């Protein structure tokens, strides 16, 4: 997709130059940082590249639609008969697998349609009025600072991505490496595009708010919709494309890993950036200087608004992009291993009798190897009664389902982001609580209607693909009970080793009986007993429904614990009467308590979906939860746009009624952002667990399908296996597993500590700079006419801090699972990941919800809820500001980063697990080497950060050790006084 930044037209440049009131010092820095002065006054109303992109994507959609019709009719080459080419390149081996080209092509086509619509949405945002020259100037600073940061961040990430790309190519295969590279690039592009439009929509939202709240809401929501549709459209198009090109379902794990790599640093770097600026702006501006939020006198205000975009738009977008593609990848991989094998009667017969093997693991008296009764039975005439499945009756259709559900989600996203209805009565409503509730209701209409449409689409897909009129249902033993199946006559009583006549299949053992009228009910190597295929439609539908409902309920629970209208946040705000300590204690308690309901809900979803359809059901529930992502991401990305709009309105000196409108939109954005984080947490844990189950399969710890079918294994030159050979995949009496579990529990705390301390160091540097400017720039604190703060210095501090500080947490997240896996083995790795997923999920929820509650408690106090004397500037207010300051890195840096931590550890482990030993290597030298490399990389960054922290502290002590007499009082000034 084209970047609208490059094609923007500029108008009224001469007038703009006359309006510049920055100081000479800042002017030079601005020119150096922003480059082309023509862009400093951008009031573009159109974009040639966006117009071209819209036309190109629409034309491509039409062409792909025509080709899809020809492909479904099997009139283009051999595209109706394409086999997965990666079946012999991994530890996990399965029988020949068909690629559902028709459905994957269709999902790519719908993704291109979404890209056309998001291009149109971006163009419609640009067509809105950008406001006054001063508003445009402020928005330009924010936009250029945001884009400069992303460019710098991506420049550093290029080297890392190239290194991992080469390592994956040589160690695994180049299909997985190609998927990794494309996933990383598309994740970066998605974040850049969404943020580019968000930084155009902020000023237009402020300008539209002069007309009314409905106009402002729709501009902000349309800006957020560009991010939402970018995530789902580019993600689905890119994933479908690499599947069509490489035709290797397991290589798709590389795409997820590439997206995780970018998401990790986008989330961590963006979080450090935004909170360094926010904490610095709040502590010096609100507490010390006693000036309002987003006051133009505050030097950190521009950096704070830049941070909203790089953290809450690009960072959150990359986070959910990874969850989205990760859930699709995990479901496709697990679907490819389901026991519905195309064109192999004997394999179906064997898997329909594996339950007998699991119940009777007999050993041959001569060789002492386990004997497979299933293979003995299916070597005779019984196997001939089993069907030879077509592609639309095989596991290929289970691969197609998540892609088609995602395609339906893109269409629903287009419909759900078209418009937000706002009651006309809000134009005259003075009650802020009623305004907030009405606005939230407007967004809920879009979210709930989108969910309803997904339910309808899911039902159509499940019954259309697997129901009574489908090809799947017509297979023998699928829709009817007419398959022969041998079972134990008495449970627990096993037959002797020889019991079948090779000539007519007559059963000689009394311990067995033949059920001539059975359904196909296979048993897999992980011990899951599938039910009749006639139940598949409603079971899969319920898996999707459980995931979708869980997402909505988690959002509601998050709102309950963080919104200012409910008891938890009211309690935190009320604690402000007793000081900052009480506010912090109350907030921590609320955050910890908020972990319980969503964790129980996720546990219930995992248990329920597993009972319905095994590990595939769990992965499908994650796809269901994320199927409305186009709309939910739009409501989330709307938040920072509205927040920026409020800042621009304040800094540009717009009338108070405009600021009231943007304040209402900002308050709504805080709620949607909090629920978005809860949604992100829930989807992250389901996605990570789905990827973990795929990893267990790919590790080889359990027998793979090819090994279980004796003749097929012999033909492929693979050693056969017994269904019970896997035993316990992970044993808690294995000392290396136990140690790894402890490490996995610890990692989220270590990761959170690194990110929190990074924000602290960066914020301290910001505080020193803001204090310096208040001291050294005459008239700045007093708001003298023509005096402007040096915003660029603060932007540079946040940028430099974020880029350097993100290295340590990133290295830990990437290297920890590799060190444990190569050092202690696959079993230890699984223990590490399982513990890390659980611990990371709980820490993430606690931090995100506590931070959101602290933020809204502060806003509740500012609104005068506890009386005019306890509002802004009061001791009560200062106590809640302290809580919000603690909560800022909780909710916007460390908490959300936990989602990325658990996903990147799992996705990178998935592509590398086949290279590891099952148990601890005799000397573990590879793990030791990786640990040494990690230390060598991390030590320079650790030394640098500690040195910078000491330098900043020294500067603060020597120049600003006393601020009671005013902001920036030096020791010399104090002595003179």
């Amino acid at each position: 997709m084209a970047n609208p930044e490059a094609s923007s037209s500029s108008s009224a440049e001469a007038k703009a130059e006359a309006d510049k009131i920055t100081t000479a010092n800042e002017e030079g820095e601005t020119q150096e940082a922003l480059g082309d002065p023509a862009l400093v006054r951008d009031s573009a109303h159109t974009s040639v590249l966006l117009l071209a992109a819209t036309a190109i994507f629409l034309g491509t959609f039409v062409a792909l639609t025509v080709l899809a019709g020809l492909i479904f009719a099997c009139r283009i080459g051999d595209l109706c008969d394409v086999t997965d080419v990666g079946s012999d390149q991994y530890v996990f081996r399965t029988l020949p697998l068909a690629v559902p080209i028709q459905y994957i092509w269709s999902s790519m086509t719908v993704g291109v349609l979404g890209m056309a619509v998001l291009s149109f949405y971006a163009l419609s945002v640009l067509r809105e009025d950008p406001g006054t020259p001063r508003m445009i100037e402020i928005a330009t600073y924010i936009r250029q600072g945001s884009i400069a940061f992303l460019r710098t961040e991506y420049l550093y990430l290029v080297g890392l991505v190239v290194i991992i790309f080469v390592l994956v190519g040589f160690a695994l295969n180049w299909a997985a490496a190609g998927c990794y590279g494309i996933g990383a690039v598309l994740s970066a592009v998605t974040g850049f595009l969404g943020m580019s439009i968000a930084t155009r929509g902020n000023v237009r939202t402020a300008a539209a708010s002069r007309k009314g709240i409905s106009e402002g809401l729709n501009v902000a929501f349309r800006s957020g919709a560009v991010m939402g549709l970018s995530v789902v459209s580019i993600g689905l198009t890119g994933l479908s494309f690499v599947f069509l090109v490489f035709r290797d379902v397991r290589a798709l794990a590389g795409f997820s890993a590439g997206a995780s790599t970018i998401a990790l640093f986008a989330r961590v770097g963006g979080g450090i950036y935004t909170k360094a600026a926010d904490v610095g702006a709040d502590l010096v501006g609100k507490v010390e200087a006693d000036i309002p939020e987003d006051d133009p006198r505050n030097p950190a205000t521009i950096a704070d608004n830049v941070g909203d975009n790089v953290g809450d738009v690009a960072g959150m977008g990359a986070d959910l992009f990874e969850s989205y593609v990760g859930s699709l990848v995990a479901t496709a991989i697990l679907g490819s291993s389901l026991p519905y094998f195309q064109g192999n009667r004997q394999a179906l017969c064997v898997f329909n009798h594996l339950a007998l093997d699991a119940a009777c693991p007999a050993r041959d008296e001569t060789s002492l190897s386990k004997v497979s009764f299933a293979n003995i039975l299916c070597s005779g005439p019984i196997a001939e009664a089993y069907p030879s499945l077509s592609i639309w009756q095989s596991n290929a259709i289970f691969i197609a389902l998540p892609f088609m559900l995602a395609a339906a989600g893109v269409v629903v996203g287009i419909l759900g982001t078209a418009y937000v209805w706002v009651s006309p009565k809000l134009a005259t409503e003075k009650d802020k609580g009623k305004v907030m509730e009405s606005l939230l209701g407007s967004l809920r209409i879009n979210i709930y209607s989108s969910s309803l449409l997904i339910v309808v689409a899911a039902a159509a897909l499940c019954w259309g693909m697997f129901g009574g009129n489908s090809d799947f249902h017509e297979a023998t033993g699928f829709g009817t009970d007419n398959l022969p199946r041998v079972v134990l006559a008495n449970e627990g009583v096993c037959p002797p080793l020889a019991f079948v006549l090779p000539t007519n299949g007559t059963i000689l053992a009394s311990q067995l009986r033949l059920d001539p009228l059975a359904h196909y009910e296979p048993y897999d190597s992980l011990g899951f007993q599938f039910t009749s295929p006639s139940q598949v439609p409603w079971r899969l539908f319920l898996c999707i429904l459980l995931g979708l409902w869980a997402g909505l309920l988690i959002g509601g629970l998050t709102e309950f614990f963080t919104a200012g209208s409910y008891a938890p946040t009211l309690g935190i705000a009320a604690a402000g009467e007793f000081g900052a300590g009480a506010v912090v204690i109350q907030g921590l308690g609320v955050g910890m308590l908020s972990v319980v309901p969503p964790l129980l809900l996720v546990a219930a979803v995992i248990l329920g979906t597993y009972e319905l359809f095994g590990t595939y059901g769990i992965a499908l529930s994650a796809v269901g939860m994320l199927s409305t992502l186009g709309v939910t991401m739009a409501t989330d990305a709307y938040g920072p746009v509205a927040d920026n709009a409020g800042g621009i309105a304040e800094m540009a000196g717009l009338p108070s009624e405009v600021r009231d409108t943007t304040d209402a939109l900002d308050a709504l954005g805080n709620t949607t952002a909090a629920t978005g984080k809860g949604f992100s947490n829930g989807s992250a844990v389901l996605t990570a667990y789905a990827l973990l189950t795929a990893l267990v399969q790919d590790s080889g710890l359990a027998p793979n399908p090819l090994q279980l079918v004796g003749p097929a294994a012999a033909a492929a030159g693979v050693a056969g296996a017994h269904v019970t050979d896997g035993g316990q995949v992970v044993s808690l009496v294995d000392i290396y597993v136990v140690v790894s579990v402890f490490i996995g529990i610890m990692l989220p705390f270590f990761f959170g500590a690194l990110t929190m301390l990074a924000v602290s160091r960066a914020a301290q540097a910001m505080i020193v700079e803001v204090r310096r400017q208040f001291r050294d720039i005459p008239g700045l604190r007093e708001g003298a006419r023509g005096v402007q703060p040096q915003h660029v210095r603060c932007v540079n501090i946040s940028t430099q801090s974020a880029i350097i500080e993100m290295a340590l947490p990133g290295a830990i997240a990437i290297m920890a699972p590799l060190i444990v896996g190569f050092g202690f083995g696959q079993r230890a790795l699984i223990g590490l990941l399982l513990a890390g997923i659980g611990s990371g999920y709980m820490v993430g929820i606690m931090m995100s919800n506590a931070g959101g509650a602290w933020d809204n408690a502060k806003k509740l106090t500012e609104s005068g809820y506890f009386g005019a004397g306890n509002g802004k500037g009061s001791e009560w207010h200062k106590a809640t500001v302290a809580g919000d300051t603690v909560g800022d890195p909780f909710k916007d840096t460390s908490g959300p980063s936990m989602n990325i931590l658990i996903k990147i550890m799992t996705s990178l482990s998935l592509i590398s697990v086949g290279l590891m030993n099952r148990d601890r290597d005799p000397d573990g030298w590879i793990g030791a080497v990786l640990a040494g490399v990690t230390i060598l990389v991390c030590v320079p960054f650790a030394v640098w950060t500690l040195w910078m922290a000491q330098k900043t502290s020294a500067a603060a002590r020597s120049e600003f050790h006393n601020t009671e007499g005013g902001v920036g009082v030096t020791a010399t000034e104090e002595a003179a006084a």
Side-chain angles (χ1 to χ4, degrees), residues 634-658:
T635 61
D636 191 9
Y638 147 87
V641 175
D643 191 2
N644 269 205
I648 291 171
E650 179 73 26
M651 287 183 280
L654 296 185
S656 59
E657 58 269 19
V658 178

Side-chain angles (χ1 to χ4, degrees), residues 437-475:
E437 191 59 35
S438 180
L439 291 175
L440 196 56
S442 297
L443 291 183
R444 282 172 176 161
I445 290 173
N446 289 53
I447 294 173
Y448 293 154
S449 59
S450 299
S451 299
L452 182 60
L453 290 174
I454 283 294
V455 170
V456 174
L461 288 171
C462 290
W463 270 272
M465 289 181 166
F466 305 98
N469 296 320
S470 66
D471 290 341
F472 182 83
H473 190 267
E474 292 177 358

Side-chain angles (χ1 to χ4, degrees), residues 20 27-40 144 151:
K20 286 187 183 178
E27 184 69 58
E29 294 173 11
T30 302
Q31 295 297 331
E32 180 181 356
L34 304 187
D36 186 359
L39 294 177
V40 176
Q144 295 289 6
R151 284 174 176 165

Side-chain angles (χ1 to χ4, degrees), residues 144-163:
Q144 295 289 6
S146 302
I147 291 177
F149 171 76
L150 273 196
R151 284 174 176 165
T152 303
E153 183 180 52
Y154 290 167
L155 181 64
Y156 282 94
L157 290 180
V158 166
L160 176 64
V161 170
V162 170
I163 291 172

